[in-house]
Amino acid sequence: MSTSLERYTDRFERYADRRPRVVDAVLVLTLMACAIVGSGLTRPGAAPPQRDTTVLIVMSASCLALFRHRSHPQAVTVVNAVCIVAATALGYVLTPLLLAPVMASMYWLTTHSGVKTARLYSATTAVALMVASANFDPTYASSPVPRSIGYCFWMLLPLVAGSMTRLRRAYVASVQARAEHAERTREEEARLRVTEERMRIARELHDVVAHHLALANAQAGTAAHLALTDPQQTKTILTSLTDTTSSALRELKATLGLLRYTDAPASASLEPSPGLARLPELVSTCASAGFTVTVTTTGEPRPLTSGVDLIAFRIVQEALTNATKYAAADSAHVHLAYEESRLLITVSNDEPSAVTDAEADADADADGAAATVPGQGFGIMGMRERALTVGGEFRAGPGPGGGFEVATSLPLPPATPEAPEAPSEATADATGEEA
């Protein structure tokens, strides 16, 4: 029942917003008919009032003033209050039909101007009606309390209805505002996710293309240098070059597949992604390009989450790529330190390196400006973004012994407590004997 009433109320309000003059005309004519009928009513046993044109003019003015209730609600309420007091002074009984215009003005005053203003006007009108009845109605003295309570009730009724209308409109407005806010939030979140996905794919493409092309360039240069002096070594390097380009094509195809197939199944994504388990393969590929990489591990190795494992591998891969392209030395050192809750990764070379795009990025970041200029790469920026996405830390700059050093700290999953060992049979037997 309430749902149907709300539906009809919404429909009526929408129609009133589209055709306000038509609705006002219908309401004014209805209220005028109520006032005309109410002017002919009297109490049982009392003589009917002498109906003349005066009361019709007064009530017509009261109803016609309602046309301005949207722009001047307070003035309309004052006019209706004066008209109903005048009708009381003329000897007419204040029935609900006669009070209908002033009640309608009170209702619109409440909806337009607020409850506080409507309370003041309602109380003033009720007092004015009591005074007018006491002076011009000889029957008022016989029952002043019930009559006064009736006046207060009829003045409070539009006040309550108008307050409910205001609350309902405020509720509808708040629901619409929440819906609009939720829509804007969804759009902003969607744009943010698209931006994050673009950056993630850009990092993947940078890692794949930069690393493999740098190694392929180094391998090709080494093969060209050894082509006449060491054909056998040249053949080995060219074989490794084929493996490097094939690996680059596979990873590039997997990354571009995310852009081509938006609804691809989970198996078509980059997971399971490369991790530290492929570190020996990476070292071997660098060695084929004439770049020696040594790997040391301290602490007890622990399994990593897929995200941290991928980030650790990509950071080592990018650091070795920069070292291969720019370092003056032909060797680098990778150190993995497993601590209680962090994995510390350090990639360094022992000799001063040439001016690199990585150093330029690091210097720019140290100055608080991570913007890139022509000729600078995104290696340091991408490594830092990867580390920060999982709550890690990152640093890149000159090493303590010279050269360039990349260091990152990534979170480790909490260690699983080991189950207590079961007591041996000998211990159990000994315990039983002592017992």
Side-chain angles (χ1 to χ4, degrees), residues 39-83:
S39 64
L41 299 178
T42 185
R43 290 180 300 276
Q50 296 296 325
R51 182 180 291 182
D52 55 16
T53 57
T54 304
V55 69
L56 297 179
I57 293 174
V58 169
M59 298 312 299
S60 297
S62 173
C63 294
L64 291 175
L66 294 175
F67 277 112
R68 309 295 296 177
H69 74 87
R70 300 178 188 275
S71 57
H72 302 84
Q74 298 179 7
V76 170
T77 304
V78 172
V79 170
N80 275 268
V82 171
C83 290

Side-chain angles (χ1 to χ4, degrees), residues 84-99:
I84 196 64
V85 171
T88 305
L90 292 174
Y92 287 88
V93 180
L94 299 182
T95 62
L97 292 176
L98 203 62
L99 289 171

Side-chain angles (χ1 to χ4, degrees), residues 89-374:
L90 292 174
Y92 287 88
V93 180
L94 299 182
T95 62
L97 292 176
L98 203 62
L99 289 171
V102 71
M103 291 173 63
S105 66
M106 287 292 179
Y107 170 80
W108 283 318
L109 178 66
T110 306
T111 57
H112 295 326
S113 301
V115 180
K116 283 188 177 182
T117 305
R119 286 175 183 172
L120 177 61
Y121 281 78
S122 178
T124 304
T125 304
V127 172
L129 291 177
M130 294 177 194
V131 173
S133 297
N135 292 329
F136 299 103
D137 188 357
T139 62
Y140 180 80
S142 60
S143 56
V145 175
R147 298 278 293 277
S148 299
I149 293 176
Y151 295 155
C152 294
F153 172 78
W154 292 118
M155 290 298 102
L156 288 177
L157 188 61
L159 204 66
V160 174
S163 300
M164 293 178 62
T165 301
R166 284 178 61 88
L167 291 175
R168 181 178 174 279
R169 290 177 179 176
Y171 171 76
V172 172
S174 65
V175 170
Q176 292 177 349
R178 286 197 299 268
E180 293 175 358
H181 176 71
E183 185 66 23
R184 289 194 302 269
T185 303
R186 282 195 296 268
E187 293 177 357
E188 293 174 358
E189 184 178 356
R191 287 195 297 268
L192 180 60
R193 289 184 177 180
V194 169
T195 303
E196 291 177 349
E197 185 65 14
R198 288 177 57 188
M199 293 184 64
R200 187 182 73 84
I201 295 176
R203 284 195 297 265
E204 291 292 335
L205 287 173
H206 176 272
D207 292 341
V208 172
V209 174
H211 170 70
H212 289 93
L213 287 184
L215 289 180
N217 181 67
Q219 289 171 336
T222 305
H225 180 70
L226 300 176
L228 299 178
T229 59
D230 194 347
Q232 186 62 33
Q233 182 65 20
T234 302
K235 181 179 179 181
T236 303
I237 294 175
L238 292 178
T239 303
S240 301
L241 177 59
T242 303
D243 296 336
T244 301
T245 54
S246 298
S247 178
L249 289 174
R250 285 195 302 271
E251 293 196 28
L252 190 60
K253 182 179 179 181
T255 304
L256 293 178
L258 296 178
L259 299 175
R260 184 181 297 273
Y261 304 107
T262 57
D263 56 350
S267 60
S269 65
L270 292 180
E271 299 293 344
S273 302
L276 291 180
R278 291 180 53 181
L279 196 54
E281 177 184 343
L282 181 62
V283 172
S284 176
T285 306
C286 292
S288 66
F291 193 81
T292 304
V293 179
T294 58
V295 181
T296 59
T297 303
T298 59
E300 182 180 356
R302 289 161 53 186
L304 308 176
T305 61
S306 58
V308 173
D309 199 15
L310 171 63
I311 289 172
F313 176 79
R314 291 303 190 194
I315 289 177
V316 174
Q317 183 186 53
E318 179 62 26
L320 292 179
T321 300
N322 286 345
T324 304
K325 291 193 295 184
Y326 303 112
D330 58 355
S331 64
H333 182 69
V334 179
H335 180 67
L336 307 177
Y338 289 87
E339 297 184 351
E340 182 177 356
S341 60
R342 313 288 289 184
L343 169 61
L344 305 180
I345 302 175
T346 305
V347 182
S348 61
N349 57 296
D350 297 332
E351 296 184 13
S353 61
V355 178
T356 67
D357 62 342
E359 291 174 334
D361 286 342
D363 293 339
D365 182 73
D367 294 337
T372 60
V373 297

